[in-house]
Amino acid sequence: MDWKIPLADLDINQEEEAALLAVLRRRWLTMGAETEAFEAEFAAFTAAEHAVAVTNCTVALHLACLVLDLGPGDEVILPSLTFVATANAVRYTGATVVFADVISEQDFSISPQDIEAKISPRTKAIIVVHYAGYACDMPRILALAEKHDLAVIEDVAHAPGASLNGRRLGTWGEVGCFSFFSNKNMTTGEGGMLTTNDAQIAARLRLLRSHGMTTLTWDRHKGHAWSYDVVAPGYNYRLDEMRAALGRVQLRKLPANNARRQELSDCYEELLSQMAPEITVPFSQHPGQSAYHIRPILLPAHIDRETFMANLKQRGIQTSIHYPPIHHFTEYRQAAAHYHLPVTDEIAAREVTLPLFPQMDTTAVNEVVTAVRFALLD
Ligand SMILES: *Cc1c(COP(=O)(O)O)cnc(C)c1O
């Protein structure tokens, strides 16, 4: 379908093309100097001590769970209102997923109060998701973690460049997991990054990313090593040089693109309050600096969402839902049967995501909000 206003779009131009071509002409395509440079630049950008590039955010989450020694018998508390990868990654390790509710219709972040209610003697870690780029209540969550001796993993897939109290998201917990999937704020097609301030964790991440081998093909190519040992049952979760080159360009563009997302998101908020005051616009007045990954809204309870979305589709406007909550999926339904997640259920039933991407202009925002106005009348 050719959308007049798509949900998201890429900022890819000659800069990415030139960076890719340069890598191809250098004739070294697997993890090497370009990836090292990308990691160094990403670490500097987030003010993290270490950044480790990987194939995608899902494997970043898997490695984060592994380096925190999560396994069978352990419980991990996370929101159900997230992409399924956040929960799947926990289950790769054999650990048990425990869902906590989110705060309110105004704040879709995991609720510290419900985290505390779900802590058991088996709880080992909390995974927070900075929904749409808005910070979770990290001071309260870290205090809880300290009190109960729990590790904290941040799913920062929506929030590269976002911060709270002047500290970047992804550097509050033990490990931060970023995504460079195609529709994220910066993209390498598929790609991901881990951040940590713990040198030992960083070393284990690097080891597990590449088969548990003590040296890399790249080290051997440079003549620094000629053999290797294997000290863990690792994986091949490496990023390649083409993606790293794309990532370096996209990272340079990120601050301006996030600022543009903020302008457009503010424009949405203002127009929605004028033209469709019955719509709930979450995260207004939210603390910290968001990355404005998506523009979620909540429909009034009496509006049929399917009809509403079809109405916008007819006008060439693409919308989405973030998210069908994980505890509703067949795979998770049985295990989640005893969960009481009333706020998540309410949001999941009424949420619609409107188009938001840096190349959009305010005329397009106006057109979307006008379409929302008409769809509400239908
Ligand atoms: C996109 C996303 C992921 C998965 O990222 P991939 O890089 O596609 O593996 C995980 N969590 C959240 C919240 C996401 O939005």
Side-chain angles (χ1 to χ4, degrees):
M1 166 125 190
D2 252 350
W3 299 100
K4 184 161 181 232
I5 307 179
L7 188 67
D9 198 8
L10 302 176
D11 176 14
I12 298 277
N13 57 23
Q14 298 89 327
E15 279 184 77
E16 282 81 359
E17 290 174 13
L20 265 184
L21 201 57
V23 166
L24 293 175
R25 287 182 175 158
R26 240 180 280 138
R27 307 182 68 77
W28 184 270
L29 305 186
T30 53
M31 194 171 75
E34 196 71 25
T35 309
E36 281 176 5
F38 183 32
E39 290 177 340
E41 288 162 10
F42 199 86
F45 177 72
T46 47
E49 300 270 336
H50 311 275
V52 179
V54 288
T55 318
N56 55 60
C57 181
T58 306
V59 306
L61 288 160
H62 182 203
L63 291 185
C65 291
L66 287 174
V67 295
L68 295 171
D69 293 320
L70 300 177
D74 298 331
E75 291 179 357
V76 181
I77 300 176
L78 59 143
S80 175
L81 192 71
T82 177
F83 183 57
V84 68
T86 319
N88 281 347
V90 170
R91 300 200 36 222
Y92 301 160
T93 70
T96 302
V97 168
V98 175
F99 292 121
D101 211 349
V102 294
I103 295 175
S104 69
E105 292 181 16
Q106 190 49 228
D107 185 349
F108 298 3
S109 314
I110 190 167
S111 154
Q113 199 182 335
D114 202 41
I115 291 175
E116 190 150 36
K118 302 263 159 84
I119 291 173
S120 85
R122 285 141 73 105
T123 309
K124 278 286 224 28
I126 301 165
I127 306 182
V128 301
V129 177
H130 302 293
Y131 184 105
Y134 300 89
C136 294
D137 188 348
M138 296 314 292
R140 265 186 80 190
I141 291 166
L142 290 197
L144 270 179
E146 193 169 342
K147 182 170 157 202
H148 296 275
D149 195 23
L150 310 175
V152 175
I153 297 170
E154 294 177 77
D155 181 335
V156 211
H158 293 191
S163 58
L164 178 66
N165 303 344
R167 182 166 161 192
R168 285 263 198 250
L169 304 186
T171 64
W172 287 79
E174 268 74 24
V175 190
C177 303
F178 293 83
S179 173
F180 308 133
F181 182 68
S182 176
N183 61 12
K184 299 297 187 336
N185 286 35
M186 57 176 279
T187 183
T188 61
E190 300 275 5
M193 189 75 79
L194 290 132
T195 48
T196 183
N197 288 328
D198 184 316
Q200 257 180 321
I201 286 181
R204 275 196 73 203
L205 289 172
R206 291 182 192 287
L207 203 63
L208 290 173
R209 165 180 66 176
S210 196
H211 308 289
M213 289 161 67
T214 51
T215 71
L216 302 174
T217 316
W218 174 242
D219 297 321
R220 295 189 293 281
H221 175 74
K222 286 187 297 182
H224 294 167
W226 56 271
S227 187
Y228 57 84
D229 192 11
V230 172
V231 294
Y235 303 83
N236 178 355
Y237 282 173
R238 295 182 303 255
L239 196 70
D240 63 55
E241 297 288 270
M242 289 78 75
R243 289 183 170 84
L246 289 176
R248 295 181 70 192
V249 178
Q250 290 273 299
L251 181 60
R252 286 198 291 275
K253 292 177 169 183
L254 183 70
N257 278 339
N258 280 1
R260 180 65 184 149
R261 286 174 183 275
Q262 175 164 12
E263 286 171 9
L264 295 165
S265 189
D266 289 349
C267 179
Y268 262 123
E269 208 174 317
E270 197 183 318
L271 292 178
L272 283 165
S273 74
Q274 288 165 12
M275 293 162 69
E278 61 271 60
I279 296 272
T280 303
V281 180
F283 298 109
S284 56
Q285 314 287 321
H286 197 80
Q289 174 64 49
S290 176
Y292 301 92
H293 173 52
I294 51 174
R295 178 65 271 173
I297 59 169
L298 286 187
L299 299 181
H302 67 275
I303 295 290
D304 180 71
R305 179 166 59 184
E306 220 173 297
T307 311
F308 177 91
M309 291 174 76
N311 216 309
L312 265 67
K313 182 178 175 183
Q314 253 178 4
R315 293 164 184 268
I317 298 167
Q318 187 182 18
T319 57
S320 180
I321 296 169
H322 290 86
Y323 288 91
I326 302 174
H327 71 287
H328 290 186
F329 291 133
T330 304
E331 170 65 18
Y332 282 87
R333 211 180 289 145
Q334 195 153 17
H338 60 288
Y339 293 127
H340 183 56
L341 305 168
V343 185
T344 298
D345 286 336
E346 186 64 29
I347 290 170
R350 290 166 43 207
E351 197 275 344
V352 172
T353 304
L354 302 178
L356 179 64
F357 51 94
Q359 297 75 27
M360 230 179 139
D361 57 21
T362 50
T363 312
V365 173
N366 207 311
E367 194 172 330
V368 174
V369 177
T370 303
V372 166
R373 171 73 273 153
F374 280 110
L376 287 174
L377 295 174
D378 256 20

